[in-house]
């Protein structure tokens, strides 16, 4: 059944005014055109909604039953398109993004402050999860944007580079290597080491770098979050290798961060989005903001 918004408006106006002349005037239609329109409407639905006389319009029992329904449908129509307009004009809505914790704990808060100042009515949901889960969230459309280190496998998503990040060796102030200004992988040989879990990309990179350097560390603990790694290092359990993104987070804990030597220890940080599909207006705004943001780091 093909019922138009215009037909509902005509029926409701006639029912409210009970006069063809008044309804035609308010709807900017001639009375013959109004009469034809309501007749076609009734033919479409299969029955009479209005009882006409030369002066008055009365509702049939079916018309009385349908009138509140028609008013609700018109209201729902208006609300739906108001909401859609608000989404496009960014007056109201929700944006879900996913970010690896190292970025979520460093640059992301300042960026989201800028976003909120420009778009106060957009609610932001942040999934701060390991980068493998970030990729899954974006690929499965549970988040529109993700922020990760560039990974080897990123099927179904596009990677847009933002900046390069280095790695640092983190340890407490009492560690014998804490006075060094630069550390290479061989220097870490046989050191007690706090590692990320085996399913972490950071763990994979560290394992490969140690293998290439023909260096072996003594892994004394593993953790799934960099914040936990920092706590374990702070306790004196061992040292670790982390992204320089986390430098400030670790220094707040009173830890020492020493740059790790070698260009091979540089990784690209960037945004990911689904390869297919279009970003919402809020997501596109954040996408542009991330591209314009100045990622300044102390080396």
């Amino acid at each position: 059944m093909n019922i138009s918004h215009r037909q509902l408006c005509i029926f409701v106006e006639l029912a409210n005014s009970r006069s063809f002349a008044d309804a035609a005037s308010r709807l900017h239609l001639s009375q013959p055109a109004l009469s034809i329109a309501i007749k076609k409407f009734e033919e479409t639905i299969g029955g009479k909604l209005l009882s006409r006389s030369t002066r008055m319009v009365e509702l049939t029992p079916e018309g009385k039953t349908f009138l509140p329904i028609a008013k609700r449908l018109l209201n729902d129509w208006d609300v739906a398109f108001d909401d859609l307009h608000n989404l496009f004009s960014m007056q109201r809505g929700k944006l879900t993004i996913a970010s690896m914790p190292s970025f979520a704990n460093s640059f992301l808060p300042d960026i989201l402050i800028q976003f909120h100042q420009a778009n106060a009515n957009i609610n932001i949901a942040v999934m701060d999860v390991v980068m493998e889960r970030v990729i899954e969230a974006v690929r499965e459309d549970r988040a529109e944007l993700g922020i990760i280190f560039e990974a080897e496998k990123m099927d179904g998503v596009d990677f847009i580079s933002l900046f390069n990040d280095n790695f640092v060796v983190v340890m407490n102030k009492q560690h014998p290597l804490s006075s060094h200004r630069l550390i290479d992988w061989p220097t870490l040989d046989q050191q007690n080491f706090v590692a990320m879990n085996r399913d972490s990309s950071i763990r994979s990179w560290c394992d490969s770098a140690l293998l290439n350097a023909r260096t072996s560390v003594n892994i004394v603990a593993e953790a799934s979050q960099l914040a936990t790694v920092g706590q374990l290092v702070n306790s004196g359990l061992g040292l670790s290798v982390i992204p320089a993104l986390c430098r400030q987070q670790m220094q707040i804990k009173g830890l020492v961060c020493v740059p790790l030597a070698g260009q091979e220890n540089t990784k690209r940080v960037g945004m990911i989005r689904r390869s297919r599909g279009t970003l919402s207006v809020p997501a596109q705004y954040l996408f542009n903001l991330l591209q314009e943001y100045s990622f300044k780091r102390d080396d």
Side-chain angles (χ1 to χ4, degrees), residues 3-14 27 38 41 45 49 66-67 69-74 77:
I3 303 298
S4 70
H5 180 268
R6 181 67 167 166
Q7 287 174 316
L8 287 176
C9 289
I10 289 172
F11 166 69
V12 170
E13 188 60 48
L14 267 172
L27 293 167
I38 199 65
F41 181 41
I45 62 175
L49 295 175
F66 180 64
L67 179 59
I69 298 172
K71 288 181 177 180
R72 188 183 74 242
L73 290 171
L74 288 175
W77 176 283

Side-chain angles (χ1 to χ4, degrees), residues 2 32 39 42 50 53 90 120 139 148 238 253 268:
N2 188 14
K39 181 178 179 181
E42 290 176 328
L50 299 165
S53 66
M90 297 185 67
R139 183 187 295 128
I148 62 169
K253 298 179 185 292
R268 294 203 297 172

Side-chain angles (χ1 to χ4, degrees), residues 132-146:
E132 292 77 14
R133 303 290 87 80
V134 173
I135 297 172
E136 288 180 6
V138 174
R139 183 187 295 128
E140 296 170 4
D141 203 24
R142 289 183 283 116
E144 285 199 75
L145 289 175

Side-chain angles (χ1 to χ4, degrees), residues 18-30:
R18 304 296 176 93
S19 165
F20 266 84
D22 290 346
S25 176
R26 292 179 182 178
L27 293 167
H28 305 290
L29 291 172
S30 66

Side-chain angles (χ1 to χ4, degrees), residues 219-285:
I219 296 178
V220 295
E222 297 179 351
S224 60
Q225 296 289 339
L226 286 164
T228 306
V229 169
Q231 293 288 2
L232 296 175
V233 169
N234 196 30
S235 72
L237 198 58
L239 51 70
S240 189
V241 172
I242 63 169
L245 273 172
C246 305
R247 181 198 301 269
Q248 184 177 10
Q249 179 186 357
M250 297 300 172
Q251 289 174 335
I252 290 174
K253 298 179 185 292
L255 298 174
V256 176
C257 296
V258 179
L260 188 62
Q263 290 297 321
E264 69 277 6
N265 299 313
T266 297
K267 302 294 181 182
R268 294 203 297 172
V269 176
M271 295 180 288
I272 58 170
R273 61 183 180 186
R274 282 198 306 159
S275 298
R276 296 182 180 181
T278 304
L279 293 176
S280 67
V281 174
Q284 186 63 54
Y285 187 96

Side-chain angles (χ1 to χ4, degrees), residues 97 99 103-113 126 147 286 290:
I97 63 173
S99 172
F103 190 90
N105 292 330
S106 54
F107 291 115
L108 189 58
D110 287 341
I111 295 170
L112 293 186
I113 286 173
V126 179
I147 303 168
L286 181 60
L290 281 161

